[in-house]
Amino acid sequence: MAARKKKPQNLDPELQLLVDQEAVLRAQIAATAAEPERLRRQYEEDRATLPPTEDFRDRERRRAFEELATRGKVRNEHKSQRRSLLLLVLLLAATTSLVMWGLQLMRG
């Protein structure tokens, strides 16, 4: 088991500042030492990733158009159903008024 350096508890403030700066520098050195490995992994990952296919934009554009077209179809269908419902209500009102008119004529 490796012996660890213990931080002295009561240090001169200037000495404590130097110890803290040394710790920061050691952390920066460790991060910098790991950087080439991280860059190599990133490079290998980039090389292993395939670029998007040629027709990717076309497929995206077609999907967006079909989505809009589908929304338009749904909107048109709702409009058609509302129109049909209005015609049904008018037909029922006309039928009711004709039946009432016929009954009044029979009563006389």
Side-chain angles (χ1 to χ4, degrees), residues 84-95:
S84 297
L85 181 62
L86 176 65
L87 289 174
L88 177 64
V89 168
L90 288 174
L91 178 65
L92 290 176
T95 304

PDB file of all heavy atoms in Angstrom, residues 84-95:
ATOM      1  N   SER A  84     -72.364  18.303 -44.007  1.00  0.00           N
ATOM      2  CA  SER A  84     -73.369  17.242 -44.075  1.00  0.00           C
ATOM      3  C   SER A  84     -74.298  17.300 -42.870  1.00  0.00           C
ATOM      4  O   SER A  84     -75.517  17.077 -43.002  1.00  0.00           O
ATOM      5  CB  SER A  84     -72.693  15.870 -44.136  1.00  0.00           C
ATOM      6  OG  SER A  84     -71.932  15.757 -45.306  1.00  0.00           O
ATOM      7  N   LEU A  85     -73.763  17.582 -41.700  1.00  0.00           N
ATOM      8  CA  LEU A  85     -74.588  17.689 -40.500  1.00  0.00           C
ATOM      9  C   LEU A  85     -75.564  18.854 -40.622  1.00  0.00           C
ATOM     10  O   LEU A  85     -76.752  18.724 -40.261  1.00  0.00           O
ATOM     11  CB  LEU A  85     -73.713  17.866 -39.258  1.00  0.00           C
ATOM     12  CG  LEU A  85     -74.438  17.960 -37.914  1.00  0.00           C
ATOM     13  CD1 LEU A  85     -75.196  16.670 -37.633  1.00  0.00           C
ATOM     14  CD2 LEU A  85     -73.463  18.273 -36.814  1.00  0.00           C
ATOM     15  N   LEU A  86     -75.104  19.965 -41.152  1.00  0.00           N
ATOM     16  CA  LEU A  86     -75.978  21.121 -41.353  1.00  0.00           C
ATOM     17  C   LEU A  86     -77.106  20.775 -42.319  1.00  0.00           C
ATOM     18  O   LEU A  86     -78.278  21.100 -42.068  1.00  0.00           O
ATOM     19  CB  LEU A  86     -75.171  22.311 -41.879  1.00  0.00           C
ATOM     20  CG  LEU A  86     -75.974  23.563 -42.219  1.00  0.00           C
ATOM     21  CD1 LEU A  86     -76.601  24.136 -40.951  1.00  0.00           C
ATOM     22  CD2 LEU A  86     -75.107  24.578 -42.909  1.00  0.00           C
ATOM     23  N   LEU A  87     -76.781  20.082 -43.407  1.00  0.00           N
ATOM     24  CA  LEU A  87     -77.811  19.683 -44.359  1.00  0.00           C
ATOM     25  C   LEU A  87     -78.806  18.713 -43.730  1.00  0.00           C
ATOM     26  O   LEU A  87     -80.020  18.794 -44.000  1.00  0.00           O
ATOM     27  CB  LEU A  87     -77.172  19.060 -45.603  1.00  0.00           C
ATOM     28  CG  LEU A  87     -76.429  20.029 -46.513  1.00  0.00           C
ATOM     29  CD1 LEU A  87     -75.723  19.260 -47.635  1.00  0.00           C
ATOM     30  CD2 LEU A  87     -77.367  21.064 -47.086  1.00  0.00           C
ATOM     31  N   LEU A  88     -78.319  17.811 -42.882  1.00  0.00           N
ATOM     32  CA  LEU A  88     -79.217  16.874 -42.195  1.00  0.00           C
ATOM     33  C   LEU A  88     -80.176  17.620 -41.280  1.00  0.00           C
ATOM     34  O   LEU A  88     -81.385  17.344 -41.248  1.00  0.00           O
ATOM     35  CB  LEU A  88     -78.408  15.844 -41.398  1.00  0.00           C
ATOM     36  CG  LEU A  88     -79.212  14.845 -40.582  1.00  0.00           C
ATOM     37  CD1 LEU A  88     -80.057  13.963 -41.493  1.00  0.00           C
ATOM     38  CD2 LEU A  88     -78.313  14.024 -39.692  1.00  0.00           C
ATOM     39  N   VAL A  89     -79.670  18.605 -40.531  1.00  0.00           N
ATOM     40  CA  VAL A  89     -80.517  19.387 -39.626  1.00  0.00           C
ATOM     41  C   VAL A  89     -81.543  20.168 -40.427  1.00  0.00           C
ATOM     42  O   VAL A  89     -82.741  20.222 -40.070  1.00  0.00           O
ATOM     43  CB  VAL A  89     -79.644  20.323 -38.749  1.00  0.00           C
ATOM     44  CG1 VAL A  89     -80.498  21.346 -38.029  1.00  0.00           C
ATOM     45  CG2 VAL A  89     -78.833  19.504 -37.766  1.00  0.00           C
ATOM     46  N   LEU A  90     -81.142  20.772 -41.536  1.00  0.00           N
ATOM     47  CA  LEU A  90     -82.095  21.504 -42.382  1.00  0.00           C
ATOM     48  C   LEU A  90     -83.144  20.567 -42.976  1.00  0.00           C
ATOM     49  O   LEU A  90     -84.337  20.920 -43.054  1.00  0.00           O
ATOM     50  CB  LEU A  90     -81.348  22.239 -43.502  1.00  0.00           C
ATOM     51  CG  LEU A  90     -80.528  23.459 -43.070  1.00  0.00           C
ATOM     52  CD1 LEU A  90     -79.734  23.995 -44.260  1.00  0.00           C
ATOM     53  CD2 LEU A  90     -81.422  24.526 -42.490  1.00  0.00           C
ATOM     54  N   LEU A  91     -82.748  19.391 -43.379  1.00  0.00           N
ATOM     55  CA  LEU A  91     -83.689  18.412 -43.913  1.00  0.00           C
ATOM     56  C   LEU A  91     -84.708  17.997 -42.868  1.00  0.00           C
ATOM     57  O   LEU A  91     -85.915  17.919 -43.141  1.00  0.00           O
ATOM     58  CB  LEU A  91     -82.938  17.195 -44.452  1.00  0.00           C
ATOM     59  CG  LEU A  91     -83.792  16.048 -45.007  1.00  0.00           C
ATOM     60  CD1 LEU A  91     -84.544  16.523 -46.250  1.00  0.00           C
ATOM     61  CD2 LEU A  91     -82.928  14.851 -45.331  1.00  0.00           C
ATOM     62  N   LEU A  92     -84.220  17.749 -41.637  1.00  0.00           N
ATOM     63  CA  LEU A  92     -85.145  17.372 -40.558  1.00  0.00           C
ATOM     64  C   LEU A  92     -86.091  18.517 -40.226  1.00  0.00           C
ATOM     65  O   LEU A  92     -87.295  18.293 -39.982  1.00  0.00           O
ATOM     66  CB  LEU A  92     -84.358  16.944 -39.312  1.00  0.00           C
ATOM     67  CG  LEU A  92     -83.616  15.606 -39.433  1.00  0.00           C
ATOM     68  CD1 LEU A  92     -82.795  15.349 -38.173  1.00  0.00           C
ATOM     69  CD2 LEU A  92     -84.598  14.469 -39.668  1.00  0.00           C
ATOM     70  N   ALA A  93     -85.602  19.739 -40.236  1.00  0.00           N
ATOM     71  CA  ALA A  93     -86.468  20.894 -39.964  1.00  0.00           C
ATOM     72  C   ALA A  93     -87.518  21.047 -41.060  1.00  0.00           C
ATOM     73  O   ALA A  93     -88.705  21.316 -40.781  1.00  0.00           O
ATOM     74  CB  ALA A  93     -85.631  22.157 -39.850  1.00  0.00           C
ATOM     75  N   ALA A  94     -87.107  20.864 -42.324  1.00  0.00           N
ATOM     76  CA  ALA A  94     -88.055  20.977 -43.428  1.00  0.00           C
ATOM     77  C   ALA A  94     -89.101  19.870 -43.351  1.00  0.00           C
ATOM     78  O   ALA A  94     -90.308  20.109 -43.563  1.00  0.00           O
ATOM     79  CB  ALA A  94     -87.317  20.923 -44.758  1.00  0.00           C
ATOM     80  N   THR A  95     -88.668  18.663 -43.028  1.00  0.00           N
ATOM     81  CA  THR A  95     -89.600  17.547 -42.905  1.00  0.00           C
ATOM     82  C   THR A  95     -90.594  17.801 -41.779  1.00  0.00           C
ATOM     83  O   THR A  95     -91.810  17.574 -41.929  1.00  0.00           O
ATOM     84  CB  THR A  95     -88.837  16.233 -42.652  1.00  0.00           C
ATOM     85  OG1 THR A  95     -87.884  16.042 -43.700  1.00  0.00           O
ATOM     86  CG2 THR A  95     -89.767  15.048 -42.591  1.00  0.00           C
TER      87      THR A  95
END
